[in-house]
Amino acid sequence: MEGTAVAVFEILRFLIIHWKCDIDVSKGALLEGQLVISIEGLNSKHQANALHCVTTIASAGTLFGGMVLKKFLKEIQSILPGISAKLTWTSEEGSYSQDMTGVTPFQMIFEVDEKPRTLMTDCLVIKHFLRKIIMVHPKVRFHFSVKVNGILSTEIFGVENEPTLNLGNGIALVVDSQHYVRPNFGTIESRCSRIHPVLGHPVMLFIPEDVAGMDLLGELILTPAAALCPSPKVSSNQLNRISSVSIFLYGPLGLPLILSTWEQPMTTFFKDTSSLIDWKKYHLCMIPNLDLSLDRDLVLPDVSYQVESSEGDQSQNMDPQGQTLLLFLFVDFHSAFPVQQMEIWGVYTLLTTHLNAILVESHSVVQGSIQFTLDKVLEQHHQAAKAQQKLQASLSVAVNSIMSILTGSTRSSFRKMCLQTLQAADTQEFGTKLHKVFREITQHQFLHHCSCEVKQQLTLEKKDSTQGTEDAPDNSSLELLADTSGQAENKRLKRGSSRMEEMRALRSARAPSPSEAAPRRPEATAAALTPSGREAREAHGRALAPGRASLGSRLEDVLWLQEVSNLSEWLSPSPGP
Amino acid sequence: MAFAPMGPEASFFEVLDRHRESLLAALRRGGREPPSGGSRLASSSEVLASIENIIQDIITSLARNEAPAFTIDNRSSWENIKFEDSVGLQMVSHCTTRKIKSDSPKSAQKFALILKILSMIYKLVQSNTYATKRDIYYTDSQLFGNQTVVDNIINDISCMLKVSRRSLHILSTSKGLIAGNLRYIEEDGTKVNCTCGATAVAVPSNIQGIRNLVTDAKFVLIVEKDATFQRLLDDNFCNKLSPCIMITGKGVPDLNTRLLVKKLWDTFHVPVFTLVDADPHGIEIMCIYKYGSMSMSFEAHHLTVPAIRWLGLLPSDLKRLNVPKDSLIPLTKRDQMKLDSILRRPYVTCQPFWRKEMEIMADSKMKAEIQALTFLSSDYLSRVYLPNKLKFGGWI
């Protein structure tokens, strides 16, 4: 992570802190606004094999009404002494007003020389950072574009209209599960599309005496939140198992904590898996997962563990994908006095450099709070697993009982009638079909038993008597899923498959496709930078077509890598847009 | 038939004989029709066919992609129970039902257990073997969880198929005892003679199968508690007041004990009296014999003996006999609630004397066990109380 990424992080952090502290945003209100971040890289004239990158951060709309811009520029320059970049500020004439209601769009530009591969990594890191921000600031939208020697790619990061859980203190956690875990399209089962976080008790953190830093006029408070993803509240025919744990770290005001040990995210505290909770209580053996590839369109965890699989996991009925235990650690700063923005900045710096020491010092309270939270979540999982096992057992009992009567009957007309009804040639085939149809019917109903889909469930129960006439294999199952799991699911499943076809066509034809379908293309123009996003190719986290987004971004990354691999073309003597 | 002629003289039974005559006259007047609803003794092939029909319905539902469900009568709901003086509590013809669905998280397990027990019944009937409810529970106790689950499902199946439990080849475990002037032959040919001795005879498990019942008994005395029953045995009551029959269900009676009492009444129309504690629990047990229970109301016609009379211990006896207050026990809150519940039941309205006795108990807020009479003298029960009651018609 080098200059461009660091600068973007610092500027965004400062903007958000300033946004919350100096602008009169009430404590509980969510931040709202749009920022445009664009990076343009051209072959550097001063360094060989390097790109001269000009990064522009611009606002759209009434983001910074009332901000004293010159003061802001001065302060931010003091924050970024290490950036060997030119930092300039442009704004509309006469808009230096302190009028709180004034519209003050602004634009900040800085320039850095970087290697292409470094720029690529920086872009991925920035995207990761933006994703993490919007997960807790759902009303903030980022337009991010990168143009390298005329080749443009654009993404919009926004999660408006997605379900959220208000955590108070001006942040709300996005609970659409597709941001955290990629859905397994291979299985026909569907699950609840949301995570159901459990909030833990806030605990005060202790700062070791030997940690140099400011004297805080307040306290650091850690609040954990945990959830299983996908949610275990919906049963399927497969047993749920926890396969991984993802930990997300957030600092004050919901700012993602990018630790100074970024390249080595596994700090001492997290390296010892027993620091968090007693995993053995839930028969889980955790090992650190160091393979945190940036090249994914999900919200990347800061710390990740894998669960070592046991023999029980090999059973036929075990869900191969498993569930991910999500743990969010929010560290906030509470003070009896009005908090100044530089104080927040200082706290943030303290956390990024000394989080490990602070967590170790506060080990017992941290562990207690996290244990309590995870106990609640895992207990739910445990209960769901038990319910699932009970259901499976009931199914087996029912099928075996029917088979017992059928095979024991001496009345040939009865046996014949049973076989004919299920279109089975013999009792063995009958048994297989019986099990299958029972499973489908019970699974079909159980899929809708999710607490966040109560209304749809009530509707479905009323339709029980006519359910048989509505149901048909596959397509209508998808339709019914849509009724109860939200419009998004159905559209995702349907558009996902149609999206695959579009992508194939795109790859083969390399021709413009309908506006919503195509991601970045080589022929795209600078019009893609407009904040309205009409030319935007993807929308991260849009509930209407998350599957489309994931497929699209996968393709985009493939295309990006393809372009980057052809560096020799860009570094040719006659490049240029 | 020669029994040991140890009983009182014939005049002792005059009131009893007149009572029997009135009961017979009432029966003739009533012209009681055979039961139209409720369960019946079905043949094996009928039971097998019924079960196969159920399976066919399930498979037809599955083929239509509909989740199969059982429709079960709400046996234990007062709205489905009516009272008839001649029968007691019985289920109404068009009663409310509930569905046991296979695709509901709450009922999927019960659905499966009903199928499981149906398959076990199928095998029992096919092989012409019998099992008790306890046997069925122990075939897979972990699956069933507890005995009550099995009991309820068996009753539900009996009600659903409209056949008696016996027809399902499921026996209830007998715990009752019988003594006195009675002999019979069991299904397997065993000859049983219940003549009073030191020990009583266990109520057989196959009441429908016993035949050649023979008795000269002038009355049948149902004793609530085993302790009282044993005391009467020890006091040679059956011989002192011979010819008579004594029976106990040792508390709440099992099905076979109730079936035997019913069989004795149906066969001999001998007056039946109850001897219970003067407390709400005893009264409720008496009501079970006389009018039946809510849970078994679907089989009322085979189980109830509305002709039963309350012989003792009456709450009014306590004052009449000057039973010492030390031997009385205050009613608990639970007793009060049970007493209130019994007073609200439909059959009490046609029993004004019973109601009066219960109101005496409610007013005094005291109860007494039969053993309270031992405060008067150790053998007061068998030597004075019961003989006087029976001789002078002290029943209600």
Side-chain angles (χ1 to χ4, degrees), chain B residues 333-367:
Chain B
K333 204 165 183 184
R334 201 168 169 181
D335 290 332
Q336 305 261 17
M337 287 167 60
K338 190 180 278 293
L339 192 57
D340 291 340
S341 160
I342 298 171
L343 280 166
R344 283 197 301 269
R345 290 184 195 166
Y347 41 69
V348 174
T349 50
C350 64
Q351 294 288 341
F353 294 113
W354 285 31
R355 172 175 277 278
K356 195 173 171 193
E357 292 292 333
M358 284 189 258
E359 284 169 356
I360 292 172
M361 187 188 299
D363 291 341
S364 68
K365 293 187 176 39
M366 302 299 275
K367 61 182 178 182

Side-chain angles (χ1 to χ4, degrees), chain A residues 219-459:
Chain A
E219 296 160 346
L220 289 176
I221 304 291
L222 170 76
T223 306
L228 280 169
C229 183
S231 170
K233 292 196 178 189
V234 175
S235 301
S236 72
N237 276 324
Q238 292 177 317
L239 296 172
N240 297 315
R241 69 176 183 94
I242 295 173
S243 58
S244 58
V245 177
S246 295
I247 301 175
F248 303 88
L249 305 172
Y250 283 90
L253 307 179
L255 286 166
L257 278 178
I258 306 292
L259 304 182
S260 59
T261 53
W262 167 254
E263 286 80 14
Q264 294 168 351
M266 196 61 70
T267 64
T268 308
F269 182 84
F270 292 111
K271 207 178 270 185
D272 177 10
T273 55
S274 63
S275 301
L276 293 173
I277 68 165
D278 177 16
W279 297 104
K280 288 177 191 165
K281 184 177 168 186
Y282 290 94
H283 309 292
L284 295 172
C285 182
M286 316 295 293
I287 50 173
N289 175 23
L290 301 176
D291 177 27
L292 288 178
S293 168
L294 288 172
D295 193 14
R296 284 168 26 179
D297 60 349
L298 301 173
V299 180
L300 291 181
D302 299 295
V303 179
S304 176
Y305 299 121
Q306 288 290 326
V307 174
E308 274 190 325
S309 58
S310 61
E311 279 182 15
D313 294 348
Q314 306 306 323
S315 71
Q316 214 173 1
N317 218 23
M318 192 62 73
D319 177 12
Q321 186 180 1
Q323 288 177 298
T324 301
L325 177 62
L326 307 175
L327 177 61
F328 301 88
L329 300 181
F330 298 99
V331 181
D332 207 351
F333 179 69
H334 290 194
S335 173
F337 304 99
V339 178
Q340 304 301 318
Q341 89 179 43
M342 291 313 293
E343 206 172 1
I344 296 280
W345 186 268
V347 167
Y348 192 88
T349 307
L350 176 74
L351 288 171
T352 52
T353 48
H354 298 292
L355 180 66
N356 182 60
I358 293 169
L359 291 176
V360 169
E361 182 77 8
S362 319
H363 176 249
S364 61
V365 295
V366 169
Q367 191 184 47
S369 180
I370 293 175
Q371 177 84 58
F372 173 81
T373 314
L374 292 185
D375 277 352
K376 273 190 163 182
V377 171
L378 293 176
E379 181 59 32
Q380 286 176 5
H381 173 264
H382 184 60
Q383 293 300 330
K386 270 175 69 174
Q388 175 62 20
Q389 283 178 339
K390 208 171 165 183
L391 173 64
Q392 290 299 318
S394 299
L395 190 63
S396 294
V397 168
V399 168
N400 289 340
S401 301
I402 292 174
M403 289 304 297
S404 167
I405 292 170
L406 178 77
T407 54
S409 172
T410 55
R411 203 154 65 100
S412 61
S413 58
F414 164 69
R415 291 199 311 277
K416 193 175 170 187
M417 192 266 186
C418 291
L419 291 175
Q420 276 178 353
T421 306
L422 282 192
Q423 296 176 349
D426 52 36
T427 50
Q428 191 172 357
E429 189 184 348
F430 178 85
T432 309
K433 287 193 170 185
L434 182 68
H435 195 275
K436 181 169 177 277
V437 70
F438 245 127
R439 191 163 53 93
E440 282 170 4
I441 282 174
T442 53
Q443 171 194 311
H444 187 79
Q445 181 71 4
F446 278 118
L447 279 175
H448 309 302
H449 280 262
C450 176
S451 64
C452 63
E453 311 292 350
V454 171
K455 275 187 190 172
Q456 287 89 347
Q457 171 57 22
L458 289 173
T459 308

Side-chain angles (χ1 to χ4, degrees), chain B residues 123-391:
Chain B
K123 287 272 181 270
L124 287 171
V125 172
Q126 249 191 352
S127 58
N128 199 25
T129 52
Y130 291 83
T132 63
K133 291 186 292 181
R134 200 76 179 152
D135 292 334
I136 290 186
Y137 167 69
Y138 276 115
T139 57
D140 199 336
S141 57
Q142 206 165 3
L143 174 69
F144 293 119
N146 59 71
Q147 183 69 54
T148 308
V149 168
V150 173
D151 295 352
N152 284 335
I153 289 176
I154 289 170
N155 287 340
D156 283 335
I157 290 173
S158 176
C159 190
M160 185 168 62
L161 299 181
K162 299 211 177 339
V163 297
S164 68
R165 198 189 300 171
R166 173 78 191 172
S167 300
L168 302 177
H169 283 226
I170 295 176
L171 309 172
S172 65
T173 308
S174 298
K175 60 181 172 126
L177 298 172
I178 188 163
N181 192 301
L182 176 69
R183 66 178 189 190
Y184 55 84
I185 301 174
E186 291 190 3
E187 192 179 35
D188 61 0
T190 307
K191 291 181 183 175
V192 179
N193 189 341
C194 305
T195 307
C196 252
T199 56
V201 171
V203 169
S205 58
N206 181 8
I207 302 299
Q208 274 105 338
I210 61 176
R211 57 190 192 277
N212 289 29
L213 280 95
V214 177
T215 185
D216 290 333
K218 292 288 188 180
F219 65 91
V220 174
L221 182 66
I222 299 173
V223 182
E224 176 197 345
K225 297 189 305 200
D226 184 41
T228 312
F229 185 88
Q230 297 296 334
R231 182 59 206 243
L232 291 173
L233 275 185
D234 294 341
D235 290 348
N236 208 14
F237 177 81
C238 288
N239 291 326
K240 283 181 186 170
L241 288 193
S242 175
C244 68
I245 297 171
M246 241 183 10
I247 189 166
T248 181
K250 295 184 184 175
V252 175
D254 60 274
L255 202 64
N256 289 327
T257 305
R258 293 175 65 188
L259 282 169
L260 181 58
V261 170
K262 173 70 175 173
K263 195 170 183 82
L264 290 173
W265 166 253
D266 285 347
T267 309
F268 303 111
H269 299 307
V270 174
V272 183
F273 302 106
T274 56
L275 179 64
V276 298
D277 290 342
D279 62 20
H281 185 61
I283 294 170
E284 185 163 56
I285 287 173
M286 178 173 61
C287 291
I288 291 173
Y289 283 105
K290 184 178 173 80
Y291 292 123
S293 61
M294 193 198 287
S295 63
M296 293 301 292
S297 58
F298 64 97
E299 279 208 67
H301 288 91
H302 303 294
L303 297 172
T304 60
V305 182
I308 283 173
R309 297 294 187 262
W310 188 1
L311 188 68
L313 180 63
L314 302 177
S316 58
D317 288 338
L318 301 174
K319 192 175 176 186
R320 181 173 63 82
L321 300 173
N322 276 325
V323 172
K325 285 194 169 41
D326 292 348
S327 58
L328 304 182
I329 307 163
L331 289 177
T332 64
K333 204 165 183 184
R334 201 168 169 181
D335 290 332
Q336 305 261 17
M337 287 167 60
K338 190 180 278 293
L339 192 57
D340 291 340
S341 160
I342 298 171
L343 280 166
R344 283 197 301 269
R345 290 184 195 166
Y347 41 69
V348 174
T349 50
C350 64
Q351 294 288 341
F353 294 113
W354 285 31
R355 172 175 277 278
K356 195 173 171 193
E357 292 292 333
M358 284 189 258
E359 284 169 356
I360 292 172
M361 187 188 299
D363 291 341
S364 68
K365 293 187 176 39
M366 302 299 275
K367 61 182 178 182
E369 294 180 346
I370 294 168
Q371 281 67 28
L373 296 177
T374 57
F375 282 86
L376 300 173
S377 74
S378 61
D379 59 351
Y380 191 86
L381 176 68
S382 59
R383 187 174 57 83
V384 179
Y385 181 80
L386 286 176
N388 281 343
K389 281 266 182 169
L390 289 163
K391 184 175 180 181

